[in-house]
Amino acid sequence: VQLQASGGGLVQAGGSLRVSCAASGRTFSSYTVAWFRQAPGKEREFVALINWSGVSTGYADSVKGRFTVSRDNAKNTVYLQMNSLKPEDTAVYYCAAGKVTGRSEYDYDYWGQGTKVTVSS
């Protein structure tokens, strides 16, 4: 599975942005996909996940109620809709795919290259 994250950019605080994770590979629909982010000088952290069917999702407390993860298996794409963005959401956002539905980066075998999101105050 190869992953390509896109959609990052510069947005003002309070604004919205949707990042996408496009995958190649016929088995993508069988994988859990997660979003992680890494801010400058900080460790990579879990943001959200969605299981293979889209029925089960999970969010970090810091984004719960503001971010929504979804997937379209017909398009081999997972989305992260980010609303009410804050300057502390500034980071490089990575998507990852794996067979284990977990919140650790070690649960995921395949990673995209990351897309940068900058939220200005």
Side-chain angles (χ1 to χ4, degrees), residues 46-48 58-65 103:
F46 167 78
V47 176
Y59 298 92
D61 288 343
S62 59
V63 307
K64 199 173 295 183
R103 300 188 177 210

Side-chain angles (χ1 to χ4, degrees), residues 14-15 25 28 36 41 45 54 63 67 82 91 100 102 110 116:
F28 174 72
F36 291 81
E45 64 176 1
V63 307
F67 289 14
M82 303 182 288
V100 175
Y110 305 98
K116 187 174 182 180

Side-chain angles (χ1 to χ4, degrees), residues 7-8 14 26 33 35 38 64 74-75 78 94 102-103 108 121:
R26 292 178 294 176
V33 175
W35 288 94
Q38 187 167 21
K64 199 173 295 183
K75 295 182 178 180
V78 171
Y94 299 90
R103 300 188 177 210
Y108 297 90
S121 57

Side-chain angles (χ1 to χ4, degrees), residues 37-104:
R37 66 186 182 186
Q38 187 167 21
K42 294 188 176 181
E43 294 187 351
R44 189 156 54 186
E45 64 176 1
F46 167 78
V47 176
L49 66 80
I50 186 166
N51 79 327
W52 68 274
S53 67
V55 169
S56 179
T57 59
Y59 298 92
D61 288 343
S62 59
V63 307
K64 199 173 295 183
R66 300 188 298 122
F67 289 14
T68 302
V69 60
S70 62
R71 71 189 297 162
D72 185 341
N73 285 338
K75 295 182 178 180
N76 274 7
T77 303
V78 171
Y79 306 97
L80 183 68
Q81 177 68 44
M82 303 182 288
N83 298 329
S84 303
L85 282 161
K86 304 175 181 179
E88 51 263 45
D89 294 319
T90 295
V92 176
Y93 283 72
Y94 299 90
C95 58
K99 290 291 190 177
V100 175
T101 300
R103 300 188 177 210
S104 169

